[in-house]
Amino acid sequence: MNKKGIIIGLAIIAAAAAGICLSKCPEKLGNMGSRYSEQTTAVSDISFSGEAGERIKFSFRSDIVSGDLDIILFNSAGSEVYALDRAKELETFFTVDSSDTYVLAAECRDFIGDYEISVYRAD
């Protein structure tokens, strides 16, 4: 086999692998994070749309020095539908009950530390 044929074959394999990876990678819906070196009380949020039956993945990391940090998912009516467990690192899933716009809020109270959270469409 000549060099040109090998290069074309490798390019085809690489393109196929990239296509498979992109089709399997979850769609990122949003992310947020903050770092506080002094006690802070604040709320940060992101919103995204979800369809009934869809799985949402939350990838979360925190380093809490003091205070409280709650990560809560609300529906468009303002009702709490899911609360993430407190952890240094967490990946968890939530299945959306109804098609709606959802708000993920990070509520800090007398908080010192940092956190990062990313939200993905898992299906």
Side-chain angles (χ1 to χ4, degrees), residues 52-102:
E54 188 172 61
R55 282 177 25 118
I56 304 297
K57 176 183 175 183
F58 300 99
S59 182
F60 173 68
R61 183 200 60 73
S62 69
D63 181 20
I64 300 172
V65 176
S66 69
D68 293 314
L69 172 65
D70 294 312
I71 309 291
I72 303 170
L73 184 65
F74 297 94
N75 62 18
S76 62
S79 299
E80 181 181 319
V81 294
Y82 186 67
L84 274 70
D85 292 330
R86 294 181 181 183
K88 280 193 137 322
E89 288 190 41
L90 175 70
E91 285 197 355
T92 187
F93 294 86
F94 173 75
T95 302
V96 174
D97 291 337
S98 59
S99 298
D100 200 351
T101 298
Y102 292 87

Side-chain angles (χ1 to χ4, degrees), residues 24-27 29 54-57 93 120-123:
K24 299 256 184 209
C25 293
E27 175 189 352
L29 299 173
E54 188 172 61
R55 282 177 25 118
I56 304 297
K57 176 183 175 183
F93 294 86
Y120 302 91
R121 193 176 319 276
D123 292 332

Side-chain angles (χ1 to χ4, degrees), residues 35-43 67-68 108-112:
R35 175 174 297 217
Y36 300 105
S37 57
E38 296 181 10
Q39 280 191 342
T40 303
T41 298
V43 175
D68 293 314
C108 302
R109 284 177 307 286
D110 299 324
F111 180 78
I112 298 175

Side-chain angles (χ1 to χ4, degrees), residues 8-24:
I8 291 172
L10 290 174
I12 291 171
I13 291 170
I20 290 170
C21 179
L22 289 175
S23 69
K24 299 256 184 209

